[in-house]
Amino acid sequence: MEFIPISKWGFNFPDKKPLVIAGPCSAESREQMLMIGNKLADSGVHLIRAGIWKPRSRPDSFQGIGLKGLEWLKEASLVSGLPVTTEVATPQHVEQALKAGIDILWVGARTTVNPFYVQEIAEALKGVDIPIMVKNPINPDLELWIGSIERLYQSGLRRILAIHRGFSIYKAESYRNPPMWEIPIELRRRYPDLAIICDPSHITGNKELVANVSQRAMDLDFDGLMIETHADPLEALSDSDQQLTPDELAALLKNLILRESSTEDPGFISHLETLRHQIDLLDKDIIDLLAKRMGISREIGSAKKENGVTIFQMNRWAQLFDNRVQTTIKAGLSDQFAIDFIQSIHKESIRQQTEVMNNGMDKS
Ligand code: PEP
Ligand code: MN
């Protein structure tokens, strides 16, 4: 897939990162939208967001203001001089948003998750040249996210970007939707030309954490931020804990440290090359050592086979696990990495031994 860069979308979007999208979770009243439009004009924001149709988990929560909110969005656009975007989840939403002249559409996390819905939206957009932003599905499924983008692409859309809003889990603790950064990073690896915007509001669910996650996204070279902003967050009808005031948004943007994704400085480049060379050599050593370790695992596998002993022995694993996790943590690596690392080695070791036991066939 080949995407049109956001700076060429025709909205005065900047060449330089970040693209900033802000506005309330939901459009609630004409006054609210006019106020936010006025406050966001000349604030460094490039696009105003507001949900009209809200995919709420529970039927007794505010479900969005519906159709009449589209006009308020257009009025907010008029007073701010900025383009506007809203979420569409059905072909009817698409039709109504297009009729109202909404500039950019977005597909929400609860819609991306369902190929039937996305396909219907894609059909409704055939032959329509409008930019569309695709949030990740609520579950951590990169293929589903890419599949949704492909469906829209197949309808002829080329002004597409992805929004990373984190992934839903049971009993979320520090974050409402943990970011699992490796997923958008893998998306970036596969589609380097696809812009990815971070939505720290839905990731954190908590206005106190929004600035930190925004900085993290900038350091991971995301293309922009979508930050929920409300003139009076405590009174917001949805997502009141995570919305910033326009002043808080301005402070966040002012304090963001923007680093270059590359530099021409020869001193830096050669220093980096030296260090990277060392990393390359060390990675090779690590892989050689792992291969050697697995060779010994296989020998253990043959011995177990000859003696009719099971591959897995709980005592050995319990001891090894504790010991290696402690050693890894003592070496300065994180608890989670220590656990993942040892489990991953053990899993491969079991796979190797299973292969040996089954005469070269891994039946796992
Ligand atoms: C939103 O942006 O307000 C929204 C509903 O987001 P998500 O689809 O990421 O939950
Ligand atoms: Mn929201």
Side-chain angles (χ1 to χ4, degrees):
M1 292 188 281
E2 281 179 22
F3 303 100
I4 298 180
I6 45 185
S7 60
K8 301 211 165 70
W9 280 13
F11 295 103
N12 282 330
F13 288 168
D15 267 330
K16 233 177 129 47
K17 300 169 186 186
L19 178 78
V20 182
I21 307 169
C25 178
S26 304
E28 297 162 0
S29 69
R30 177 165 182 261
E31 293 64 40
Q32 172 227 20
M33 288 308 298
L34 287 175
M35 180 159 4
I36 204 77
N38 276 312
K39 297 231 175 196
L40 294 182
D42 307 314
S43 63
V45 169
H46 307 105
L47 171 65
I48 293 183
R49 62 150 283 151
I52 302 294
W53 300 287
K54 298 302 298 179
R56 306 305 300 285
S57 303
R58 305 292 291 272
D60 49 359
S61 334
F62 175 60
Q63 305 292 305
I65 202 75
L67 201 50
K68 65 179 174 221
L70 292 175
E71 279 167 39
W72 305 339
L73 257 168
K74 287 304 289 178
E75 289 186 76
S77 172
L78 220 56
V79 297
S80 61
L82 295 170
V84 285
T85 180
T86 199
E87 173 174 351
V88 289
T90 67
Q92 292 75 27
H93 294 166
V94 169
E95 192 189 319
Q96 289 165 345
L98 291 177
K99 200 159 144 212
I102 298 299
D103 302 287
I104 295 179
L105 307 177
W106 94 73
V107 178
R110 290 166 195 76
T111 305
T112 310
V113 88
N114 188 327
F116 287 130
Y117 293 160
V118 177
Q119 190 59 38
E120 285 186 5
I121 292 171
E123 303 287 338
L125 284 169
K126 260 198 185 128
V128 180
D129 185 18
I130 188 165
I132 192 151
M133 311 191 287
V134 185
K135 287 203 172 195
N136 64 257
I138 47 177
N139 56 325
D141 185 339
L142 178 60
E143 301 309 320
L144 201 52
W145 195 2
I146 293 175
S148 294
I149 293 168
E150 282 170 342
R151 287 174 196 277
L152 295 161
Y153 190 88
Q154 283 173 6
S155 273
L157 301 177
R158 294 295 176 267
R159 290 182 289 170
I160 302 180
L161 67 74
I163 299 179
H164 168 233
R165 50 78 80 198
F167 302 90
S168 171
I169 52 163
Y170 181 57
K171 285 203 176 145
E173 282 170 12
S174 41
Y175 291 137
R176 177 180 175 193
N177 292 292
M180 303 185 193
W181 296 105
E182 63 277 18
I183 296 178
I185 288 173
E186 174 61 11
L187 180 64
R188 160 73 29 103
R189 192 186 67 80
R190 294 216 216 157
Y191 299 97
D193 299 334
L194 173 67
I196 310 180
I197 302 291
C198 178
D199 170 351
S201 308
H202 290 90
I203 289 176
T204 62
N206 173 354
K207 66 188 293 177
E208 305 301 331
L209 303 176
V210 169
N212 261 341
V213 170
S214 301
Q215 184 62 53
R216 181 79 183 267
M218 291 300 95
D219 290 334
L220 292 173
D221 210 18
F222 276 62
D223 297 278
L225 299 166
M226 179 193 253
I227 300 182
E228 285 189 340
T229 311
H230 193 289
D232 189 0
L234 290 178
E235 294 300 317
L237 298 180
S238 58
D239 288 351
S240 61
D241 294 343
Q242 70 194 31
Q243 305 205 53
L244 303 189
T245 63
D247 286 347
E248 288 165 339
L249 174 72
L252 182 155
L253 295 176
K254 189 164 156 273
N255 292 330
L256 268 188
I257 302 169
L258 301 174
R259 300 177 171 95
E260 299 294 329
S261 50
S262 61
T263 163
E264 304 292 308
D265 179 63
F268 169 77
I269 291 174
S270 92
H271 183 47
L272 200 63
E273 268 172 13
T274 313
L275 294 175
R276 284 185 171 160
H277 180 62
Q278 290 175 27
I279 294 262
D280 292 347
L281 295 178
L282 283 171
D283 281 352
K284 171 136 192 352
D285 287 350
I286 293 172
I287 293 164
D288 287 347
L289 277 174
L290 281 173
K292 206 162 151 189
R293 188 194 188 285
M294 293 306 158
I296 295 174
S297 272
R298 291 181 79 93
E299 281 183 43
I300 294 178
S302 324
K304 286 177 180 166
K305 185 178 180 184
E306 275 162 31
N307 291 279
V309 172
T310 56
I311 293 178
F312 183 66
Q313 278 139 25
M314 187 56 210
N315 289 348
R316 165 74 178 154
W317 168 234
Q319 267 175 13
L320 186 145
F321 180 80
D322 286 344
N323 172 286
R324 304 300 193 270
V325 166
Q326 287 316 317
T327 314
T328 311
I329 293 171
K330 269 197 205 125
L333 303 160
S334 78
D335 298 11
Q336 191 58 54
F337 176 79
I339 295 169
D340 293 347
F341 176 60
I342 301 312
Q343 284 180 337
S344 170
I345 290 181
H346 187 240
K347 191 170 156 200
E348 175 63 8
S349 184
I350 287 189
R351 196 194 65 76
Q352 296 271 357
Q353 293 192 10
T354 308
E355 219 174 63
V356 171
M357 288 240 176
N358 294 315
N359 299 323
M361 302 257 299
D362 174 8
K363 299 219 177 78
S364 60

